């Protein structure tokens, strides 16, 4: 390890100040796009699986135990191990191998939060909605989902952050994304590069965090969010 | 391309001793952070309940820490803690555990119904005794739910530490990848998941022992 005289700040200036790092296929914009592609696709797939399933389980109460158990099991799956195994089995022709572990990572928080969100809705509220003559689907769409939305968004936020952070591992099996800087930097003992990559991923995760805070502010009905602060 | 079987049982037999060493290393690196995280989260959570203004900033900081990728934090810590040390892996995991546990402690304590708290006051409980005998026991299910998430994620996350030279069972993933050899990878995944399942099960058992009243009432 290069025990450089330079401290972290100098490393950052080295990395971000180098114009070579801002263009070409190994430039920051290109790597960022790759990273967003892995993360975005994985999150989208996880949402397509976990949201309908969570809504169905939360609304009907069926299969709850199974969902919670399998979500916990999926949480335990080591992403790095899963990734290298799938890449060895399938090869790295496409980005499919990297999507599988990331989807497995993102499904549990979305599924569990959606289910818990719906289950946590005051039963009186649900009864009142049926009493007003709403049918099952309408109760779900007009009452349960709006009230459960903060928790559902929290699940999506946790999933998104974990996916963005973990997508760095893809670089280890030779794929792109911001993890390239981290893995290549480690391999060549180029510390500024490694730290620069780490900072980029952390920034991206923070932007995602802020993005979700904004979405929450816009989409959660004022009545619900007020209830939230009172607890 | 591989004519090899998916699992070579003889490899497992020959390497069992070193697998055990990795397993022990993994257990230490995963569980110490959860225990330390809980020990820090309890007083911080209590403070957050006592002084409400403290809670939001604490959770804010924890959320920021939680959003940092583990690999990135491992690397940033290397100059301080050294390459391939247990500390490099355990420090970030401690913070992740705290990020999960502080909200769990606060939610658990605020879930104590007001009339219960008032009954304890009326019976002459001192605040300390009320905390230990009434409020914390009632908070146990919520805290333990957080503890289960923290423990399982910690066990799974340790393996990423293998990329900076110390990751317990994660070493098997690196080894298998470098030699294009399935067996260590599969052994590693199975052991990590089994370890997480055992930890989860023990915590569920702990919850049943700590909250006998919930069984008596028949809510499981």
């Amino acid at each position: 390890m290069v025990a450089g005289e330079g401290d972290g700040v100098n490393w950052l200036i080295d990395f971000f100040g180098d114009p070579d790092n801002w263009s070409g296929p190994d430039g920051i914009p290109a790597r960022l796009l790759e990273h967003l592609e892995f993360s975005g696709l994985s999150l989208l797939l996880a949402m397509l699986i976990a949201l309908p399933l969570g809504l169905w389980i939360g609304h009907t109460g069926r299969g709850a135990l199974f969902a919670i158990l399998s979500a916990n099991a999926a949480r335990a799956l080591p992403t790095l191990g899963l990734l290298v195994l799938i890449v060895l089995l399938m090869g790295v022709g496409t980005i499919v191998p990297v999507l599988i572990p990331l989807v497995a990572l993102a499904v549990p928080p979305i599924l569990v939060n959606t289910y818990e969100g719906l289950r946590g809705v005051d039963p009186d509220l649900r009864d009142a909605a049926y009493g007003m003559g709403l049918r099952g689907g309408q109760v779900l769409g007009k009452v349960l989902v709006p009230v459960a939305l903060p928790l559902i968004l929290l699940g999506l936020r946790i999933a998104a952050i974990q996916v963005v952070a973990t997508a760095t591992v893809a670089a280890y099996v030779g794929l792109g994304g911001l993890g390239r800087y981290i893995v290549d930097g480690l391999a060549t003992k180029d510390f500024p590069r490694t730290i620069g990559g780490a900072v980029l991923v952390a920034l991206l995760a923070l932007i995602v965090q802020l993005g979700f805070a904004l979405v929450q502010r816009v989409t959660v009905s004022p009545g619900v969010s007020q209830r939230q602060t009172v607890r | 391309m591989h004519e090899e079987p998916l699992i070579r049982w003889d490899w497992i037999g020959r390497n069992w001793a070193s697998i055990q060493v990795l397993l022990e290393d993994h257990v230490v690196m995963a569980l110490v952070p959860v225990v330390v995280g809980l020990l820090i989260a309890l007083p911080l959570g209590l403070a957050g309940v006592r002084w409400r203004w403290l809670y939001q900033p604490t959770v804010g900081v924890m959320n920021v820490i939680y959003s940092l990728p583990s690999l990135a934090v491992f690397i940033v810590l290397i100059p301080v803690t050294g390459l391939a040390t247990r500390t490099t892996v355990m420090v970030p995991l401690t913070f992740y555990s705290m990020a999960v546990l502080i909200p769990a402690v606060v939610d658990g304590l605020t879930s104590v119904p007001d009339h219960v708290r008032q009954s304890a006051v009326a019976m002459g409980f001192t605040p300390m005794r009320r905390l230990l005998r009434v409020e914390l026991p009632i908070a146990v299910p919520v805290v333990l739910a957080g503890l289960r998430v923290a423990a399982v994620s910690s066990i799974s996350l340790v393996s990423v530490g293998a990329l900076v030279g110390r990751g317990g069972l994660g070493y098997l993933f690196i080894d298998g990848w470098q030699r294009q050899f399935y067996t260590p990878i599969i052994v590693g995944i199975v052991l990590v998941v089994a370890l997480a399942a055992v930890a989860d099960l023990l915590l569920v058992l702990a919850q049943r022992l700590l909250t006998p009243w919930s069984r008596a009432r028949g809510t499981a």
Side-chain angles (χ1 to χ4, degrees), chain B residues 45-118:
Chain B
L46 282 172
V49 176
R50 179 82 175 69
W51 300 286
R52 294 300 301 190
W53 56 268
L54 208 67
Y55 178 56
Q56 280 307 329
T58 317
V59 169
V61 172
M62 283 299 137
N63 269 340
V64 170
I65 290 172
Y66 191 71
S67 64
L68 302 174
S70 52
L71 182 55
V73 185
F74 293 151
I75 286 157
V76 174
L77 277 176
I78 289 177
V80 187
T81 55
L83 188 67
T85 62
R86 279 183 176 176
T87 326
T88 309
V89 177
M90 291 196 297
V91 170
L93 293 181
T94 305
F95 280 106
Y96 293 141
S97 298
M98 281 162 63
V100 175
L101 289 173
I102 292 174
V105 171
V106 171
D107 286 348
L109 288 175
T110 45
S111 76
V112 177
D114 232 21
H115 61 264
V116 171
R117 194 173 287 126
Q118 281 166 10

Side-chain angles (χ1 to χ4, degrees), chain B residues 6-67:
Chain B
L6 211 51
I7 291 217
R8 291 225 339 240
W9 297 100
D10 58 312
W11 182 89
I12 301 179
R14 271 185 283 115
N15 292 280
W16 186 242
S18 44
I19 294 174
Q20 262 182 313
V21 174
L22 293 174
L23 184 66
E24 283 164 26
D25 212 26
H26 200 102
V27 171
V28 172
M29 281 189 287
L31 294 188
V32 170
V34 177
V35 174
V36 175
L38 180 66
L39 290 179
I40 304 174
L42 274 175
L44 281 184
L46 282 172
V49 176
R50 179 82 175 69
W51 300 286
R52 294 300 301 190
W53 56 268
L54 208 67
Y55 178 56
Q56 280 307 329
T58 317
V59 169
V61 172
M62 283 299 137
N63 269 340
V64 170
I65 290 172
Y66 191 71
S67 64

Side-chain angles (χ1 to χ4, degrees), chain A residues 72 75-78 80-81 85 87-89 157 161-162 165 172-173 182 186 191 194 198 201-202 205-206 209 231, chain B residues 1 63-64 66-69 72 75 79 107 148 152 156 159 163 173-174 177 180-182 185 189 192-193 196 200:
Chain A
N72 247 356
R75 232 191 273 278
L77 283 173
L80 180 63
L85 181 65
V87 172
L88 275 190
L89 288 169
R157 191 179 79 194
I161 287 169
Q162 286 187 346
Y172 184 69
V173 292
I182 300 179
L186 266 180
F191 228 62
T194 307
V201 179
L206 289 180
Q209 180 102 272
R231 297 185 94 98
Chain B
M1 48 180 189
N63 269 340
V64 170
Y66 191 71
S67 64
L68 302 174
I75 286 157
D107 286 348
R148 289 172 62 190
V152 170
S156 151
S159 46
L163 293 179
F173 305 148
I174 308 288
W177 172 252
Q180 307 277 296
F181 179 29
Y182 298 125
I185 304 176
I189 295 177
V192 169
V193 173
D200 203 33

